[in-house]
Amino acid sequence: MLSAIESICVYCGSRHGDSPAYADAARALGKAVAESGWRLVYGGARIGLMGELADAALAAGGEVLGVIPRSLIGSEVGHGGLTELQVVDDMHARKLAMSDAADAFVALPGGLGTLEELFEMMTWQQIGWHAKPIAILDVEEYYAPLVGLLRQAVAAGFLGDHQLQRLIVESQADALATRLKAMPDGF
Ligand code: AMP
């Protein structure tokens, strides 16, 4: 049976990065999520790639749930135009609410916050706390060093090859959406 994805959680930078390709990819992913009929779940900010992603999903007629800690509403500029903005007490509550609300996870380029969230979902998948697909949208090979490090972890005996094989890596938003649609349920 193919996966029945209803909501996708996307992690991405609260900055734009230094290549216009990053914002282009965030917009393309937001549009692909909406056009796939999926609800977008993200960190609820209006800044950086987060804002680009959410605005593109909304413009394409998609539903968007943002989850933001109360203390970050000011600095990350809580997005006022979402379908729903859930305000939570702290970062732990944010991450839990985002992961609970989603059936799959995608990381766009981003900084420490993005990497931390991606790795948390990968570690939870590894120990069987969830069996939801995890994907990287590898814009301009931003994530090539990270994938290289994971290969090194396999070669050094710290990570099972099967675990690395579960990570979906695509460079185009549409191709990534197509891969996710083809995932078997509870893969
Ligand atoms: P960044 O990738 O560092 O630009 O951060 C992207 C998003 O992750 C922002 O909304 C940050 O607030 C959030 N973030 C920052 N630190 C953490 C953390 N420890 N866990 C989860 N998210 C975080």
Side-chain angles (χ1 to χ4, degrees), residues 12-14 50 72 76 91 94-95 110-114 116-117:
C12 61
S14 54
M50 299 172 79
L72 289 184
E76 293 197 353
M91 199 60 93
R94 177 200 235 179
K95 291 194 292 180
L112 289 177
T114 304
E116 204 260 358
E117 291 166 316

Side-chain angles (χ1 to χ4, degrees), residues 142-164:
Y142 176 77
Y143 278 112
L146 183 136
V147 173
L149 178 62
L150 293 173
R151 286 203 188 103
Q152 168 69 9
V154 172
F158 288 110
L159 175 66
D161 188 48
H162 166 72
Q163 192 57 37
L164 180 54

Side-chain angles (χ1 to χ4, degrees), residues 13 17 24 26 28-29 47 53 61 66 75 87 121 149 172 187:
D24 289 347
L29 183 61
I47 54 174
L53 169 81
S75 59
V87 180
M121 288 311 109
L149 178 62
Q172 302 295 326
F187 81 119

